[in-house]
Amino acid sequence: MSGSPGKVDTSRTGGVENPPVIILIEPQLGDNIGKAARAMLNCGLVDLRLVRPRDGWPNERATANASGADIVIDNTRVFEREEDALADLNRIYVTTARTRDAVKPVFTPRGLAPEMRANIGKGEKIGVMFGPERTGVRNEHIAMADAVVTVPLNPGFTSLNLAQAVLLIGYEWWQAGVDVPDYQMMMNDSFPATHDEVERMFVHLEHELDESGFFRVEEKRPAMERNIRNIFTRIGLTHQEVQTIRGMVSAMRGAKHKPKPKS
C-alpha cells in the first residue's frame, strides 16, 4: 500500500468530513485515473484508492489529466488486494451495468445519493467500487458489496468510460447536499424593476405608439395593448432594462422630429 489519507479539507468537500471513498479496480491508463480524479473533486470527493493499477503509481499522465485535482492525486492510495482497499469501510457499493446472478439491492445514482448521506450521517464510512475499464466488475467484486449501483441508460448502449461513471455517482452525491434552485435569473449588478417603473414605461411606450399612428383600429387597441404588456411582463425586466427601453423610445421620437439635413 502507498500514500496516506491525510486530513480531509472540508472546504473542498462541501463541508462533509467523511465523503464517500472511490475505489478503482485494476485501472489501466493513467489518463483515465486522472480524469476520474478531476470528476471526483468536481463533486467534493477526495479519497481515491487504486487496486493493482496496470501502469503503476505515481503516474505522470494521471497528474496531467487531473487538471489541478492535486488533493485527490496526492492522497491516492494503492493496494494489491481488494480486501485491503475495503477493510476500513462500513458499507460498499459496486457499479455495474450488467445483470448478475447475485441477489442484491440495486440503486440508481440518484437513489444512492441520499442513502449514502444518511449512512455517513450515522458515522459510517462508505465506498463506491468501479471495475476495470475493459471488463467491468467481476462476480467476486459484487459478492464483496452491500448493494449494486446501475445507471439507467439506453438499453442498447450502456457503455461509459471510467471518468463518466465516477462523475455520474459523484454528481448525484453532490446535488443531494446542496440547495440550488433548478432555475434562477442571473441579475449581475442590476435588480428587478418595480411595478411602478414598468407601468410608467408602458404609459410612455403606448403614448409614443399612439402618436405614431400604431393603433390604427380603435376596437383592436385594448387587445394590442395587452399583447405589448404581456411581451414585457413575461421576461421580468430589470431596473436598467426599463431605463434602456425608455431611452430607446425617447431617441426614436427625437429622430422622427429631427430636421432632415439639407442636401
Side-chain angles (χ1 to χ4, degrees):
M1 184 182 80
S2 65
S4 58
K7 187 176 181 179
V8 173
D9 180 359
T10 56
S11 68
R12 311 295 292 276
T13 64
V16 179
E17 294 184 0
N18 187 27
V21 175
I22 298 298
I23 305 105
L24 307 183
I25 307 297
E26 299 174 2
Q28 298 180 28
L29 298 175
D31 305 63
N32 294 344
I33 298 171
K35 291 173 183 177
R38 180 180 182 179
M40 285 175 60
L41 193 55
N42 285 153
C43 305
L45 305 177
V46 294
D47 192 342
L48 175 61
R49 303 180 185 184
L50 310 178
V51 178
R52 299 183 300 278
R54 187 189 68 180
D55 295 339
W57 194 263
N59 187 295
E60 292 183 358
R61 294 300 303 167
T63 301
N65 281 273
S67 300
D70 296 336
I71 186 174
V72 180
I73 295 296
D74 293 344
N75 289 328
T76 295
R77 287 179 282 172
V78 179
F79 299 83
E80 188 59 32
R81 303 189 325 136
E82 286 87 343
E83 291 83 355
D84 296 330
L86 307 176
D88 64 328
L89 304 179
N90 301 110
R91 199 175 299 267
I92 301 158
Y93 303 95
V94 62
T95 61
T96 181
R98 301 177 184 175
T99 302
R100 305 286 182 168
D101 295 331
V103 177
K104 296 276 184 179
V106 179
F107 290 92
T108 65
R110 184 164 298 173
L112 177 64
E115 162 85 1
M116 289 195 297
R117 285 192 175 269
N119 290 326
I120 285 174
K122 299 173 186 175
E124 294 186 10
K125 196 167 182 63
I126 304 297
V128 183
M129 185 164 46
F130 297 80
E133 294 99 315
R134 188 173 60 85
T135 62
V137 294
R138 298 185 289 272
N139 287 335
E140 57 264 34
H141 298 134
I142 294 176
M144 296 176 185
D146 296 280
V148 169
V149 188
T150 298
V151 182
L153 296 171
N154 172 14
F157 191 73
T158 59
S159 175
L160 292 169
N161 66 40
L162 189 57
Q164 287 175 324
V166 171
L167 182 60
L168 283 169
I169 301 295
Y171 173 79
E172 294 295 350
W173 155 262
W174 183 260
Q175 288 300 303
V178 297
D179 185 17
V180 178
D182 291 333
Y183 169 84
Q184 56 186 319
M185 179 67 72
M186 186 179 294
M187 300 296 290
N188 296 321
D189 294 330
S190 189
F191 49 90
T194 66
H195 178 78
D196 183 63
E197 288 174 331
V198 176
E199 182 60 29
R200 288 174 180 272
M201 182 201 74
F202 284 142
V203 171
H204 184 187
L205 177 59
E206 289 167 359
H207 173 75
E208 295 301 328
L209 290 174
D210 199 18
E211 289 290 306
S212 67
F214 180 78
F215 300 112
R216 295 185 180 88
V217 182
E218 190 61 29
E219 55 268 27
K220 292 184 178 180
R221 177 171 182 147
M224 295 173 73
E225 288 179 342
R226 283 196 302 273
N227 289 339
I228 293 170
R229 285 173 178 256
N230 284 334
I231 290 170
F232 288 106
T233 54
R234 186 167 59 241
I235 59 178
L237 293 169
T238 67
H239 168 78
Q240 185 57 52
E241 288 168 341
V242 167
Q243 299 304 112
T244 299
I245 292 171
R246 295 196 65 174
M248 290 165 56
V249 173
S250 296
M252 286 188 290
R253 176 178 175 80
K256 184 173 64 173
H257 294 286
K258 186 177 180 180
K260 294 181 180 180
K262 294 181 179 180
S263 57

